Amino acid sequence: MTSPQPHNESHVSRSVSPSSRFGFGVDVGGSSLKAAVVDLHSGEFHGERLEVPTPQPATPDAIAEAVAQLTRQAAWSGPVGIALPSVIVRNIARTAANIDATWVGTDVVEPFSTVLGHHDVTVLNDADAAGLAEVSFGSPEAQRGSALFLTFGTGIGSALLANGQLFANSELGHLLIDDTEAEHLASSAVRTREGLSYADWAKRVETVLCEYERLLNPDVIIVGGGVSENSDQWVPLLNVNTPVVVAKLLNRAGIVGAAKAGAGHVAGSPHR
Ligand code: BGC
């Protein structure tokens, strides 16, 4: 593993000593790419969060160029972890949600290696990255027993955790519930698009969680994603048997988990 290098002080306010204490994570979303230098001991951002719009079409080369731009902004030359909304099996994208369909069937590391050159690159599913971050820096419930970690955003992402170990690439947002995909019923984007109140949306989330509960019987369900910042408006309304806890890292989790995976800090990671 290469060591992270110091940063350009005009972009990152605090100085970074070159050690494996820091990583760089990028979370690729449908509307923007978000990135930060992450302190891998605390899970905190070291300096500011950087953001660039997702290029359209969001092809492998265009996303790779946007990631290169972010590393330049941070003056980062160490390992890079990238969270993609894709199923990634042995570095091949099997799906592409909210990014260009040309990702499917391609090697996800290759376009980044081409533009990032000397950087060591790791790519993993965005919800898996967020779930791993929660294991390391979030709710203690993520570390023990069976935990179903969910992100509510443009889609519904899922990470299945057993005693803090990841079962990678679960895609529970696509589970059919009465012929409708769970994420078409109850993602955060659907709430916004349909102008649903939190109470009405919570009923839909409850339907989805009941189905997950029926099939998986986890010890706990951990809910994350941006909408969890308003968790007091919907989590208490959920009537499910499984305890529901709110993720601690909220929408920082994808970046933090990507940085951690990028730095090789994920034990037994299937992604490298
Ligand atoms: C994708 C998942 C992704 C989730 C959250 C879903 O539509 O299929 O791979 O984790 O959205 O971005």
Side-chain angles (χ1 to χ4, degrees):
M1 193 175 71
T2 51
S3 293
Q5 298 303 307
H7 294 72
N8 178 340
E9 293 295 322
S10 67
H11 294 292
V12 178
S13 50
R14 287 174 280 164
S15 67
V16 178
S17 37
S19 75
S20 60
R21 175 164 178 181
F22 298 97
F24 190 75
V26 185
D27 193 1
V28 178
S31 53
S32 67
L33 279 74
K34 301 169 191 75
V37 175
V38 175
D39 180 332
L40 300 171
H41 292 182
S42 66
E44 297 293 330
F45 288 171
H46 190 93
E48 65 186 297
R49 187 183 79 149
L50 306 171
E51 188 163 2
V52 294
T54 304
Q56 297 302 334
T59 59
D61 288 347
I63 296 277
E65 189 39 59
V67 169
Q69 186 187 331
L70 289 164
T71 59
R72 284 194 297 273
Q73 272 183 42
W76 179 260
S77 59
V80 176
I82 299 155
L84 268 192
S86 295
V87 168
I88 299 165
V89 180
R90 286 180 290 279
N91 283 342
I92 303 294
R94 298 285 180 219
T95 65
N98 305 310
I99 51 174
D100 198 68
T102 51
W103 281 93
V104 177
T106 64
D107 182 320
V108 290
V109 172
E110 201 263 338
F112 298 109
S113 298
T114 305
V115 293
L116 294 173
H118 55 285
H119 291 267
D120 190 5
V121 175
T122 302
V123 187
L124 74 169
N125 173 265
D126 55 357
D128 283 349
L132 288 170
E134 198 64 26
V135 170
S136 297
F137 304 112
S139 330
E141 288 90 343
Q143 292 170 7
R144 53 174 185 253
S146 56
L148 169 57
F149 174 87
L150 298 170
T151 60
F152 290 86
T154 310
I156 296 178
S158 59
L160 286 175
L161 302 165
N163 294 322
Q165 296 288 311
L166 176 70
F167 181 115
N169 289 314
S170 64
E171 284 283 309
L172 296 178
H174 299 289
L175 186 75
L176 287 176
I177 301 174
D178 291 335
D179 292 333
T180 304
E181 291 192 31
E183 70 177 26
H184 294 162
L185 193 67
S187 70
S188 168
V190 166
R191 189 187 72 79
T192 310
R193 199 161 54 235
E194 297 188 19
L196 298 174
S197 65
Y198 276 107
D200 285 341
W201 182 65
K203 283 188 208 130
R204 295 195 186 189
V205 174
E206 183 179 300
T207 302
V208 169
L209 297 192
C210 285
E211 195 62 11
Y212 292 161
E213 185 176 66
R214 191 175 73 78
L215 296 171
L216 296 166
N217 298 294
D219 293 328
V220 66
I221 297 172
I222 305 173
V223 293
V227 73
S228 303
E229 276 164 18
N230 300 322
S231 61
D232 54 329
Q233 298 194 52
W234 58 280
V235 172
L237 306 178
L238 299 171
N239 184 16
V240 290
N241 294 323
T242 311
V244 178
V245 305
V246 178
K248 290 227 165 28
L249 276 78
L250 303 177
N251 56 0
R252 255 184 335 121
I255 298 174
V256 173
K260 214 169 149 56
H265 284 214
V266 176
S269 168
H271 306 288
R272 295 175 77 83

